[in-house]
Amino acid sequence: MNSTRQQIPRHVAIIMDGNGRWAKQHGKLKIKGHRAGTEAVQNAVKFAVENKIQSLTLYAFSSENWNRPKTEVSALMELFTWFLDNEVKKLNINNIKLTIIGDISRFKYKLQNSIKHAIDITANNTGLQLNIAANYGGRWDIAHAMVLITEKVKSGSLLPENLDEDTVNKFISLHDQPTVDLVIRTGREYRISNFLLWQIAYAEFYFIDVLWPDFDEEAFKRAIVVFNQRERRFGNTKPDNIYEE
Ligand code: IPE
Ligand code: IPE
Ligand code: MG
């Protein structure tokens, strides 16, 4: 992609939806759809590295996804463990730093270990920041920040009268990374499904019909082109209209 012509968003967040429907469409078991989804993850990460996107946040498992059939949940957990164990070397070679956002305490010991290992190994990398949202919910994120803030107030290190947006922000996931510029959702659904809530206040949204396993380099390029057609005003006036009555 010609980055001299297209402005590259600094932080892209993706709701990777449509694995189940992709499997159905291809007459396959649902888990095959999730497996195909991991290939699309590898492609998206490659694209982000090549195009120097600073942060890529991928929604892999929501706090509500536990409600799915047990067999699907455990297959997803196995796939996640496999992905981490197998990809960590490649992430490292590509200078990618991995972070997980979400409440990992609910995961099995083995998966928690794979997560910690992958985070440790890539901790000093300085290239793409790859965030995987696992057992993540935007509401959990905000509630979790509130718990941490309450602890600070209780210990006396934070005065309630000093509490403002910036304080809250410091306790929210991804606060140490560029603000989310672009949210992509694949799979023909037009909702947030409890993904980042606080972080997307002024993000641009791009919803596409493509099912996640079919999300390839071309589709990602198209999302960047559409992003470039947007005029981000952040509540301000359109620059041309400043002098108009
Ligand atoms: C998204 O694909 C992956 C996860 C939520 C883990 P889905 O499994 O939701 O696919 P559809 O929406 O049923 O097609
Ligand atoms: C959102 O997809 C969660 C992930 C992509 C991980 P869902 O398939 O769970 O969302 P809903 O149920 O259609 O809102
Ligand atoms: Mg879905």
Side-chain angles (χ1 to χ4, degrees):
M1 168 153 230
N2 188 345
S3 52
T4 53
R5 280 176 32 222
Q6 295 292 333
Q7 196 192 336
I8 300 296
R10 292 194 306 162
H11 192 157
V12 179
I14 309 182
I15 303 173
M16 311 183 290
D17 197 20
N19 293 349
R21 278 161 288 159
W22 184 92
K24 206 169 178 187
Q25 210 178 61
H26 290 78
K28 294 182 175 179
L29 292 173
K30 197 159 189 200
I31 185 62
K32 296 259 172 168
H34 292 311
R35 264 189 221 143
T38 61
E39 283 171 37
V41 167
Q42 289 162 332
N43 291 337
V45 169
K46 186 166 174 271
F47 181 91
V49 170
E50 284 171 1
N51 289 282
K52 300 198 169 50
I53 291 172
Q54 290 180 35
S55 290
L56 179 68
T57 301
L58 303 175
Y59 202 10
F61 192 84
S62 77
S63 43
E64 289 72 47
N65 286 149
W66 295 106
N67 299 327
R68 293 189 177 201
K70 260 199 175 126
T71 46
E72 184 181 355
V73 170
S74 44
L76 279 167
M77 295 301 144
E78 261 175 49
L79 194 59
F80 191 25
T81 313
W82 174 88
F83 180 83
L84 288 167
D85 295 346
N86 281 272
E87 284 297 292
V88 67
K89 257 198 201 140
K90 224 165 89 189
L91 296 179
N92 222 2
I93 290 168
N94 288 296
N95 197 21
I96 297 168
K97 182 175 175 173
L98 180 79
T99 308
I100 305 291
I101 59 168
D103 181 8
I104 67 162
S105 67
R106 196 169 161 185
F107 293 140
K108 286 206 171 122
Y109 182 71
K110 187 170 181 284
L111 177 51
Q112 286 194 41
N113 253 352
S114 297
I115 289 174
K116 284 176 192 150
H117 176 71
I119 292 174
D120 276 358
I121 296 252
T122 64
N124 295 322
N125 289 342
T126 53
L128 173 71
Q129 172 81 53
L130 175 64
N131 311 297
I132 298 185
N135 189 20
Y136 179 86
R139 287 179 171 176
W140 166 84
D141 202 348
I142 294 168
H144 180 246
M146 285 180 183
V147 171
L148 299 177
I149 288 169
T150 310
E151 280 166 9
K152 293 263 173 208
V153 170
K154 268 205 316 217
S155 72
S157 59
L158 179 69
L159 295 174
E161 55 269 35
N162 291 340
L163 223 164
D164 59 11
E165 274 187 26
D166 288 341
T167 328
V168 178
N169 196 45
K170 280 191 193 114
F171 294 93
I172 295 273
S173 305
L174 310 174
H175 69 273
D176 51 348
Q177 295 181 38
T179 322
V180 177
D181 293 310
L182 173 64
V183 177
I184 300 171
R185 180 169 188 149
T186 61
R188 296 197 288 268
E189 306 291 359
Y190 312 103
R191 52 179 173 256
I192 293 301
S193 301
N194 202 12
F195 193 30
L196 312 166
L197 296 176
W198 176 275
Q199 297 89 336
I200 56 174
Y202 270 104
E204 295 297 325
F205 292 88
Y206 180 64
F207 295 99
I208 34 165
D209 288 354
V210 169
L211 302 172
W212 176 248
D214 292 328
F215 186 83
D216 57 9
E217 191 185 340
E218 280 312 305
F220 210 151
K221 263 190 204 164
R222 175 83 198 127
I224 305 289
V225 169
V226 171
F227 173 76
N228 275 266
Q229 290 161 354
R230 304 279 173 85
E231 187 189 64
R232 304 184 78 191
R233 291 193 288 277
F234 301 98
N236 207 332
T237 329
K238 197 175 164 185
D240 315 350
N241 290 344
I242 285 172
Y243 301 105
E244 280 177 15
E245 280 301 307

